[in-house]
Amino acid sequence: MPDWGMQNRLSRIIRPKSGHCVMLAVDHGYFGNIPGQLKCFGDLNPLFEHADALMLTRGMLRSCVSPDSDIPIVLRVSAGASMLKELSNEEINVTIEDCIRLNVSAITCSIFVGGEFEKQSLLNLSKLVNWGQEYGIPSLAVTAVGREMVRDYRYLGMASRMAAEMGASFVKTYYCEDFQNVTSICPVPIVIAGGKKTPEREALQMARNAIDAGAIGVDMGRNIFQSDKPIGMIKAVRAIVHEGAGVDEAFEIYQNGPVGL
Ligand code: 5RP
C-alpha cells in the first residue's frame, strides 16, 4: 500500500495524466552561482505558471514566491559550500519542521559520488529519505558532478542507481550519450538538468532525446531563464515532455514566444 501523503505530494510534481514533469530550477544561488537573470529573482515569476514545480531554496521561496501561489515546491535543503571552495562539502541546513511549515512537495540535496565528501553527501540524502518516510515527503537526489568527474552513462548511471538504492523517490541527473543505460538501471523516475545555456534547438533536442531514452521530465534552469524568449522556451519544453512534440514543432513554439519576461 503506497503512502498516501508521499504519493499525493509526488503526483503534484510528476503529473499523473502524462506521468511526466517540467520543473523549473532556480536554486543556483545556493552555492553562489548567480547567472544574470537570477540577479533579480522576482522577475522570473511569469515563468512559474508554466512549470509543474519550482526547485529553489528556503530564502528565495520566502522572498520571491507569493504564499498564494499553488506551484508545488521542491525545496533544496543542503548548503555549506560556495563555488569558491569544495562543493561536495555540504550538509543539510533546513529542518523537517520548516519543510512542513513551508508546505513543500519534495525535499532535495545533491550527492557527490566520487567527490571528496562523498560519504557526507550520501548521508545527507539518507537523512532526507528517513525524514520523508516519517512525514510522507518525497526526496529528490541530485547527482552533482565534480570537476574531475566524466559525465558518461557509467558514472551517471552508477550515481543515479545509488540514489535509488538509498531510497530517493526520484533522481535528477545530467543527460549523456546512451542515456538509456542510465534510465534502464535506475528503478525510480529520472529528470534531467539542463546544464549550461546552449542554443535553444540544442536544448530542446536534449530534452527530446532524454524523454525518448526513458527520462520522465526535466528540471531545467539556465536553458529556460537565460533564453531570449523564456516563456516560449518553457512552453516548448512542456510540449516535448507532456505532449510528445518533436524538436521542430517545439522550436516553433519557442520562436513564437515573447522576447524577455
Ligand atoms: C545544481 C542544481 C541546479 O538546480 C541545476 O543544475 C540547475 O539547472 P540547470 O543546469 O538546468 O541550470 O541542482 O546542483
Side-chain angles (χ1 to χ4, degrees):
M1 187 78 165
D3 179 285
W4 198 92
M6 174 86 80
Q7 207 50 52
N8 179 258
R9 286 190 174 92
L10 202 54
S11 68
R12 296 198 66 218
I13 301 166
I14 301 173
R15 308 306 300 163
K17 200 168 158 197
S18 67
H20 289 171
C21 79
V22 173
M23 289 167 56
L24 180 66
V26 288
D27 63 324
H28 307 60
Y30 96 94
F31 60 92
N33 180 17
I34 308 165
Q37 292 77 351
L38 270 188
K39 281 198 178 120
C40 190
F41 180 92
D43 289 351
L44 299 178
N45 274 258
L47 283 173
F48 298 172
E49 68 180 276
H50 303 286
D52 296 317
L54 198 53
M55 175 181 178
L56 79 179
T57 58
R58 172 170 61 179
M60 296 314 275
L61 176 63
R62 285 193 182 131
S63 314
C64 304
V65 182
S66 164
D68 294 340
S69 162
D70 65 356
I71 188 163
I73 299 299
V74 179
L75 193 72
R76 176 170 281 281
V77 295
S78 62
S82 81
M83 58 202 280
L84 304 178
K85 303 270 263 189
E86 173 50 47
L87 276 181
S88 66
N89 191 9
E90 61 179 36
E91 295 186 19
I92 300 305
N93 69 323
V94 182
T95 62
I96 189 63
E97 287 80 8
D98 215 21
C99 296
I100 294 166
R101 193 176 297 121
L102 292 166
N103 196 28
V104 304
S105 296
I107 45 182
T108 184
C109 70
S110 297
I111 57 169
F112 294 83
V113 173
E116 194 177 332
F117 292 87
E118 175 188 80
K119 178 178 174 184
Q120 185 175 306
S121 72
L122 292 173
L123 292 179
N124 288 342
L125 176 60
S126 300
K127 193 172 195 173
L128 302 200
V129 173
N130 289 334
W131 276 345
Q133 287 304 122
E134 202 170 346
Y135 297 102
I137 302 187
S139 50
L140 169 67
V142 179
T143 68
V145 177
R147 283 181 202 95
E148 62 288 356
M149 269 60 131
V150 185
R151 291 187 191 192
D152 62 13
Y153 75 80
R154 286 186 196 85
Y155 174 76
L156 297 171
M158 178 176 87
S160 299
R161 175 60 177 261
M162 285 176 70
E165 297 259 358
M166 292 177 60
S169 313
F170 59 132
V171 171
K172 167 175 168 172
T173 193
Y174 288 92
Y175 179 72
C176 63
E177 258 182 54
D178 300 316
F179 196 66
Q180 66 282 2
N181 292 337
V182 177
T183 55
S184 63
I185 62 164
C186 182
V188 298
I190 291 188
V191 295
I192 59 153
K196 282 191 184 139
K197 172 81 178 70
T198 56
E200 278 74 8
R201 184 179 274 279
E202 274 177 36
L204 294 171
Q205 185 69 61
M206 179 176 70
R208 182 68 268 161
N209 294 348
I211 299 297
D212 290 343
I216 59 105
V218 302
D219 183 16
M220 199 177 264
R222 291 163 286 181
N223 274 293
I224 291 174
F225 64 70
Q226 288 191 302
S227 171
D228 60 341
K229 296 173 177 171
I231 302 263
M233 192 57 185
I234 196 167
K235 284 184 171 172
V237 173
R238 283 195 78 81
I240 288 175
V241 170
H242 284 298
E243 287 147 36
V247 174
D248 287 342
E249 188 189 337
F251 190 69
E252 206 176 315
I253 295 172
Y254 148 70
Q255 283 182 313
N256 289 334
V259 175
L261 281 169

